[in-house]
Amino acid sequence: MSLLELVDRCRRLADPQLLVTEIPYARFLGIRTSVGDGGLLTVLEFRDSNIGNPALPALHGGVVGALLETAAILELLWAHEAEVVPKIINITVDYLRPAGPRDTYAKALITKQGRRIANVSVQAWQEDASKLIATADCHFLLPGLEPG
Amino acid sequence: MDPRTRQKLDKTSELFIGDIPHVRAMNMTVEHMHADGVTMMLPYSKDLIGDPETGRLHGGAVTTLIDSVAGLAVLAAMPDPGPIATLDLRIDYLRPARPGLPLRAHANCFRLARQIAFVRASAYHDGDPDAIAAAQASFIIKGYGGGLQADGRSA
């Protein structure tokens, strides 16, 4: 099943988690997702293998970046009638606070979806949503459909 | 390079590979460690796939490799390596990584100030001049107390 067929199935079943289970890297990190009143929420479960600084301990910055990027892609796939899989152009991550050894939550906001470019911003937090651990801004390319 | 500096650099890279759980989990290795540049390698693994149709790496795996090599480049540039934290990281994805091939990244700390370090990095496949990703990052040098001690030296 192609990714777009999977997205379609997930939407019909109202279960975005199916999408995540198909992405090996999301499984490797322990990323899961759910839909609630506030829309899609992406969660990075705490795992020892995600630690970057054992002295604190704190999660690896790359793992936090991966969570933010995944939340952005999932938001784009979930929120819109995607006809093509968005391709990431760039991501800028701001690290605000060390991420401790517990679950991390991420919420993406599609700032703008144009015909070819989508701007998505993401926020991540742990036990307190008012104390963000990181934010990211991403640009995605929505590839044009090939001429018929 | 004098032997003490070589020893300090080797010790730093060994600790980096050995003591950081996520670096171990990704099987990343350090291939070149020098004050003016560091190279790390990420072996391809099916666990790191982001697009199951093509087998391509998830962008997050590239982010992790780049964040790691950039941090190590700061440590390599520090006369007395100590705790650091990523402040911001920007990655431009230039081309998709090729499935099945190891990915390398090179980073250089081009400015080491007392509290902040600046790094440029790129990710690529060996032998291919066309980079997969280009990045810039800044890091906070922690443990800088500021001010002077009684003997007139900086803390």
Side-chain angles (χ1 to χ4, degrees):
Chain A
M1 182 188 314
S2 76
L3 191 58
L4 290 175
E5 283 165 352
L6 184 60
V7 172
D8 200 46
R9 185 154 163 251
C10 287
R11 225 185 260 113
R12 277 185 283 112
L13 294 171
D15 182 7
Q17 177 55 23
L18 291 173
L19 249 182
V20 176
T21 53
E22 292 296 312
I23 301 174
Y25 188 62
R27 289 199 308 267
F28 177 72
L29 293 183
I31 290 179
R32 56 184 167 82
T33 191
S34 61
V35 181
D37 293 334
L40 203 65
L41 185 69
T42 304
V43 185
L44 172 72
E45 293 165 359
F46 172 67
R47 291 187 178 174
D48 284 326
S49 55
N50 288 338
I51 294 266
N53 183 342
L56 291 178
L59 299 179
H60 192 284
V63 173
V64 173
L67 166 65
L68 294 164
E69 188 177 322
T70 303
I73 294 169
L74 289 175
E75 187 69 38
L76 275 176
L77 286 173
W78 184 254
H80 290 258
E81 298 292 326
E83 287 171 348
V84 287
V85 179
K87 290 186 178 157
I88 188 157
I89 300 171
N90 52 43
I91 183 169
T92 301
V93 183
D94 265 351
Y95 294 94
L96 305 174
R97 295 179 171 84
R102 44 198 157 277
D103 289 356
T104 310
Y105 306 93
K107 179 100 190 81
L109 173 72
I110 298 173
T111 311
K112 184 196 170 204
Q113 174 149 353
R115 266 183 309 117
R116 285 191 302 164
I117 302 287
N119 301 53
V120 186
S121 72
V122 197
Q123 296 187 330
W125 65 95
Q126 293 188 314
E127 58 279 330
D128 185 349
S130 69
K131 294 196 164 86
L132 301 177
I133 56 114
T135 61
D137 285 306
C138 321
H139 293 102
F140 289 85
L141 183 66
L142 308 168
L145 296 172
E146 294 303 310
Chain B
M1 178 191 312
D2 72 85
R4 273 217 343 225
T5 306
R6 183 71 261 161
Q7 207 177 30
K8 177 207 78 166
L9 288 172
D10 289 344
K11 181 97 201 287
T12 303
S13 62
E14 274 161 30
L15 286 173
F16 199 81
I17 294 294
D19 285 5
I20 297 179
H22 196 64
V23 171
R24 278 204 315 267
M26 302 273 275
N27 291 310
M28 290 191 278
T29 56
V30 178
E31 296 195 328
H32 177 80
M33 177 81 174
H34 198 279
D36 62 14
V38 175
T39 304
M40 286 185 71
M41 190 273 286
L42 170 68
Y44 181 82
S45 159
K46 295 205 164 86
D47 281 339
L48 308 181
I49 290 175
D51 182 351
E53 279 177 79
T54 58
R56 288 188 181 138
L57 292 184
H58 192 286
V62 182
T63 303
T64 295
L65 173 63
I66 286 181
D67 183 48
S68 302
V69 74
L72 194 56
V74 176
L75 295 174
M78 290 165 75
D80 197 4
I84 61 173
T86 318
L87 179 59
D88 81 329
L89 172 63
R90 179 206 161 98
I91 302 181
D92 281 322
Y93 292 97
L94 309 177
R95 301 179 168 74
R98 306 227 304 272
L101 295 186
L103 191 64
R104 284 174 167 81
H106 185 77
N108 159 245
C109 175
F110 63 93
R111 168 73 176 129
L112 178 67
R114 270 195 291 189
Q115 297 184 79
I116 306 287
F118 300 88
V119 179
R120 275 189 208 102
S122 66
Y124 56 93
H125 292 301
D126 207 28
D128 188 342
D130 296 331
I132 301 301
Q136 255 180 253
S138 60
F139 288 78
I140 305 170
I141 313 290
K142 300 203 271 185
Y144 172 70
L148 296 173
Q149 292 176 302
D151 61 0
R153 287 187 303 149
S154 290

